[in-house]
Each structure stands twice: as C-alpha cells, then as structure tokens.
Amino acid sequence: MPALSKKDKLRLLKTILESRHADLREQNLNRQGKGHFHVSGMGHEALAAISILLGPDDYVVPYYRDRGLVLGRGMTTRELALEYFAKRNTGSGGRQMPSHYSDAAHHIWSVPTPTGSQLLPACGIAWGIQLDGKKNLVITTVGDAATRQGDFFEAICFAKEKKLPVLFVVEDNAYGISSYTRDTNPLALDALQPNDWRQIEGRDVQKIYDSAEEAIDKIRAGNGPVFFWIKMERLSSHTSSDDQKLYRSAEELRELEKCDPLKCWKDQLIAEGVLSAEEFAQIDNEIKERIRQEYRDAEEAEDPSPNELQVNVTASPPKLDDEILPPGKYRIGDTVNKTLRAGLEEDPRRIIFGEDVEDPKGGVFRLTQKLSTDFPKQVFNSPLAESTILGVACGLASYGKRPVFELQFIDFIYPGFNQLVTNISTLRWRSFGNWKCPAVFYAPYGAYLPGGSLWHSQANESVLAHYPGLSVVIPSTPEDAAGLLWTAMHGEDPIIF
C-alpha cells in the first residue's frame, strides 16, 4: 500500500478535526442542559488513521471513545448528533447512550457499555470471515482498564488459537475513570507476552498509520492476529458526570496539550508544507460551523415513540411444518443428534461448537457423535470457556452464520452470563433490529444424573426466561425435542434449548 498522499493526510486532519469539534459541541450542549450525557473521544482521534486502511467488507468492533475511528470508517457527525440526542432515526433507534456506535451498513458493531464484552463477539465475526476463506478482517478496540476483564484474556487466547484475522487495539489513556492504570494493567504486570504487543504513541498519526498498514497486510495474508498497545492521553474528564481535576494535578493537565494528536498532526502537516496555518484556520472554522448546524438540525429530529418500546425485542418465531424425522421409536438424545445432523446438511452456515463435541467423544452425552467426522468444517471442539462459547456465538451470528453451540451442562452457563445478558439478549433491541443474534444454545438440564449434586442438576429456566430477548424451550418428549430444536435453528433470535 502506498504512503499517505497529501489528499489522505488532509482527509485524516479533517476527520480528527470533525471528531474534536463534535466532542466540544456535545460538551457545550450538555452544559446548557441539552442532551443527557457526553462521552469524549478527545485524545483518541488518531485511530482514524486505521480506519482509512479498511475495505468495505471489513468490520469494526469499537468501544465508546472511538469517535475518530468510526468517522473515518464512514459514519457521519449528523448520525452521531442524532445519537447524542437519542433520536429515533439512528443505529439504535434512540435506545443507546451517546458514543455507543452502531452502523450495520458500515460493519460497525453495536457498542455495549460493559467494556471488554465486545472482544469475544469480535472474535466470532473474525472466525466467520476465516471460515468463509475471505481476506477481510476485524478491528476491535478496548480501553486499558478493561484489559483486566476475563473476556480480554479469553479473546486473546481464542484469536491466537484460531489465528483469526483480527487487530486488537488497547487504547491506554492511563485511567479507569479516576484510577491510574499504568502500573496495574496486564502489560505492566507481565501477565502478557511483551513481544506480542506493539507499543505505539497515540499522538503520532503517521506512526499509527504505518503500523496499521503493516499489521493489516500481515493479517490479510493469513498470519493471524496482531496486537497494538497505544499510549494516549484522555484530554477530558471520563464523561460529563466526572471532573478529572479532582484526581489529576494541575501540572499533569497542563502537560496534556503536548500529547494532543490534533495539534501534533496539524503542526506536522504545516511543517511539511501540506497546508498553511491560514488554510488550517479556514478548514477548522468551516468544520466547526457545519457541526454546529448539524447539531441544531439533530435537536429537532423525531424522537422515539413509547409505543415502540417492545419493537425488536425478538422477531416472530418461524412457522414450520417440516417432517424432520420419519416415524419411529426414538430417545430424546437420538432425536437431538439426528436433528442436528439434518440442520448441518441443510445449511452450511450452521456451526456446532462446544466442549468435547468432536469425535471420538461426540459430546459427553453423545449428542454430536459422528457429526464432526461427517461435517469437519462445521463441528468444532471449544476450549473450556463458557464466555468464549457464548461471545463467539454472538459474533458469528452477527456475521451471518447460524451457530448451534453446546454447553456441557446448563449449570455451567454462569461463567458466560455477561455475554448472555449484555450482548446476546440485547443485540436486536439495542440496535433497533439492525443487528441480530440467531443462535441456539443447547444443554442438558435438570436432576437426571444420580449424584449430580449442585452443578449437574440445576433447573434454572426461570432465571434465563426473565431476560427480554431470550427464549427458553424445554422438550419433554422425543417429538418435542426434534420439533423445538428444528424451529430454534430456523429462528432469528437466541434460543436456549
């Protein structure tokens, strides 16, 4: 890929400027009592240099400081202004907080607030790309404080195990709200392999571009994931509900300007003769005035309707009258195995993933026996990591696959509960139907095992059924098992079977 042209340098400058002025405008509006909340991306804008390297079929799975990244990807300030005011005509239908980006048309996945929970779905999307043999990739980002989350480590392990086409970007601004993290993040604690992580200065737009260009070429060539640790400064308080002057010294705050990617990039381009100070001032003023008008227009746009509160919680279940199995005498385990087989035969997008599901074991209850032998590109063993199983399913389903994933016992769902209730159950609703999660999770259930004790005997359907967006089905006969599993596999929403 050629070096940055003058046109691309100016495009990056304008994107960073647009991101900065939109943040400043939202801060100003919030002080006026207009809008409910503000999350700043100031200091993080240089990641726009990564987005201009992406193709139309690549994916971005961001977090809430990535305004510059998503603007570079193709979202507009008008769209983000509508999100700021929680208006109806947005990627979330007005259901998300500001800076919780979602744009299915540009493959920008819906941001969840619990930071770090986006990483395993990002791996699921990347696995779908890999299974299809495509050269596309996923960029996923996370703040430094969230690198202490378990999902962060599970995502790294899964990406390395599968050699997934994904670029991980840690945006290290040194703070988790008020807590200083430079001494307690996993890189500082030697919990990560330093040689895996390329450490980059977040103020250096050119360096980020050059590093990303090299990494993306490596990923597209099939060489597996790449990991960036980008040190930057958070140039504003955590959110509009925070005041960083309470925990950062006046001297520290004065020094922040030296780390401002906008100032550094502007000064570099002027020094290179790409533009003059006068030309910069003109561009700066034009963008500022345009953004003021876009926020004025957004404030007058249509609000969400209370009558639509329950729209896109789930879709209607499919109406099917297929004969799945010929008449005969079956046990429930037999019908599950045969129905799974029929599903794999019918649709190559169906993927089975779970602990011990491959032959020769074929599952601890033999529910998947002979399936990996006959469908080796659709049936895979998982690690013993329920959050991985659930989070990867969410990403695969978002990408367009049809995951049918096994949990060895329903009692073991709780290590993955964050993925279940943060992402899987909410994705359709929080994105106003623009993203969906057609996934099936099947698991043995109830007190059927003598001596099963506490974690092999639970009947926890009442817990799961209380989360909007999840459907729970429990067969009591072999006929029920075949019919309910077949219907679940043809649905457009998450089903626990």
Side-chain angles (χ1 to χ4, degrees):
M1 195 172 289
L4 273 172
S5 64
K6 177 179 178 180
K7 180 181 177 181
D8 284 336
K9 289 179 178 180
L10 287 172
R11 174 187 168 191
L12 272 175
L13 177 65
K14 291 175 182 178
T15 300
I16 293 169
L17 262 174
E18 184 163 350
S19 180
R20 180 63 56 86
H21 278 303
D23 265 325
L24 293 171
R25 186 62 191 149
E26 289 185 10
Q27 285 185 344
N28 186 274
L29 288 165
N30 187 264
R31 286 192 292 268
Q32 297 174 42
K34 297 180 177 181
H36 308 287
F37 194 70
H38 172 62
V39 183
S40 169
M42 294 193 294
H44 292 238
E45 299 101 333
L47 294 195
I50 297 176
S51 61
I52 70 170
L53 290 160
L54 301 181
D57 293 326
D58 296 324
Y59 284 77
V60 175
V61 183
Y63 94 118
Y64 48 69
R65 297 216 189 274
D66 286 329
R67 184 186 295 269
L69 180 66
V70 301
L71 285 172
R73 179 61 176 152
M75 289 194 78
T76 66
T77 291
R78 173 166 174 76
E79 290 171 326
L80 299 182
L82 291 168
E83 292 280 9
Y84 174 74
F85 287 112
K87 297 298 183 176
R88 184 183 185 279
N89 188 26
T90 65
S92 72
R95 292 170 169 179
Q96 285 262 58
M97 299 173 77
S99 300
H100 285 54
Y101 321 102
S102 178
D103 187 334
H106 287 99
H107 290 174
I108 298 170
W109 199 72
S110 171
V111 172
T113 295
T115 54
S117 61
Q118 70 275 18
L119 300 175
L120 285 167
C123 288
I125 295 170
W127 194 24
I129 290 169
Q130 183 187 69
L131 289 170
D132 283 347
K134 295 181 178 179
K135 297 295 185 182
N136 308 117
L137 62 109
V138 178
I139 309 294
T140 189
T141 66
V142 67
D144 52 292
T147 61
R148 291 291 295 264
Q149 292 278 348
D151 279 5
F152 173 75
F153 293 94
E154 289 197 31
I156 290 171
C157 287
F158 189 70
K160 293 182 79 168
E161 174 199 348
K162 296 291 186 183
K163 297 184 178 179
L164 296 179
V166 59
L167 171 61
F168 287 83
V169 179
V170 174
E171 301 179 36
D172 179 3
N173 62 30
Y175 282 90
I177 306 184
S178 67
S179 299
Y180 187 72
T181 59
R182 288 269 163 87
D183 300 326
T184 59
N185 69 59
L187 195 61
L189 295 170
D190 293 327
L192 299 173
Q193 295 187 32
N195 291 340
D196 283 348
W197 293 84
R198 180 157 191 181
Q199 298 186 55
I200 306 168
E201 282 296 330
R203 74 187 80 177
D204 191 336
V205 176
Q206 184 69 57
K207 187 68 172 178
I208 290 174
Y209 176 87
D210 292 341
S211 299
E213 180 185 30
E214 179 184 343
I216 287 171
D217 286 346
K218 175 180 180 290
I219 293 168
R220 292 199 199 282
N223 294 311
V226 176
F227 305 93
F228 283 0
W229 195 284
I230 302 183
K231 291 187 175 181
M232 49 186 62
E233 290 291 346
R234 195 185 73 196
L235 301 183
S236 62
S237 298
H238 171 68
T239 67
S240 55
S241 298
D242 176 47
D243 182 359
Q244 63 180 347
K245 292 192 293 292
L246 295 173
Y247 50 86
R248 302 183 80 171
S249 68
E251 180 182 1
E252 182 183 359
L253 293 173
R254 282 194 299 271
E255 291 293 307
L256 293 183
E257 185 182 9
K258 296 177 182 178
C259 302
D260 183 350
L262 173 57
K263 182 181 184 301
C264 293
W265 190 235
K266 176 201 74 173
D267 291 348
Q268 179 178 332
L269 296 192
I270 290 173
E272 291 177 359
V274 174
L275 81 170
S276 66
E278 293 76 17
E279 288 170 327
F280 172 80
Q282 181 180 350
I283 292 170
D284 183 45
N285 187 64
E286 289 173 354
I287 290 174
K288 179 180 179 180
E289 291 305 313
R290 174 171 59 80
I291 285 172
R292 288 174 67 89
Q293 184 60 51
E294 288 178 341
Y295 275 84
R296 280 194 291 267
D297 294 342
E299 190 174 4
E300 302 301 320
E302 180 187 5
D303 289 321
S305 169
N307 297 327
E308 292 182 320
L309 177 63
Q310 296 185 39
V311 171
N312 283 310
V313 175
T314 59
S316 299
K319 296 180 179 180
L320 305 171
D321 58 4
D322 307 348
E323 182 181 85
I324 307 148
L325 302 174
K329 192 172 183 179
Y330 301 98
R331 299 172 301 174
I332 285 182
D334 298 331
T335 59
V336 169
N337 177 267
K338 292 178 183 298
T339 304
L340 290 173
R341 174 176 290 277
L344 294 169
E345 289 173 344
E346 180 198 51
D347 191 342
R349 296 177 300 161
R350 285 210 176 88
I351 305 296
I352 293 176
F353 184 63
E355 298 163 20
D356 301 295
V357 298
E358 288 185 24
D359 294 326
K361 184 73 172 176
V364 294
F365 290 96
R366 308 289 285 159
L367 298 177
T368 55
Q369 58 183 319
K370 299 185 179 179
L371 296 184
S372 67
T373 299
D374 295 340
F375 303 93
K377 296 182 179 180
Q378 292 173 261
V379 182
F380 304 93
N381 277 341
S382 76
L384 200 161
E386 283 77 17
S387 197
T388 296
I389 293 170
L390 291 160
V392 166
C394 187
L396 267 180
S398 300
Y399 172 74
K401 297 293 186 182
R402 307 289 298 197
V404 185
F405 282 16
E406 178 175 309
L407 295 166
Q408 206 161 81
F409 288 85
I410 196 63
D411 315 52
F412 302 159
I413 198 169
Y414 296 108
F417 213 61
N418 177 31
Q419 289 298 327
L420 186 69
V421 302
T422 293
N423 286 324
I424 291 167
S425 68
T426 68
L427 185 60
R428 176 189 285 275
W429 188 86
R430 78 181 194 231
S431 69
F432 209 54
N434 291 300
W435 292 99
K436 59 186 180 180
C437 183
V440 179
F441 303 97
Y442 67 93
Y445 152 95
Y448 49 83
L449 181 68
S453 191
L454 182 57
W455 286 290
H456 299 81
S457 308
Q458 292 180 22
N460 52 8
E461 75 283 352
S462 62
V463 175
L464 305 173
H466 274 79
Y467 284 90
L470 295 179
S471 296
V472 180
V473 297
I474 304 171
S476 58
T477 67
E479 291 83 0
D480 281 351
L484 288 171
L485 181 54
W486 187 253
T487 302
M489 288 195 295
H490 288 81
E492 295 299 323
D493 294 292
I495 308 290
I496 298 174
F497 173 87

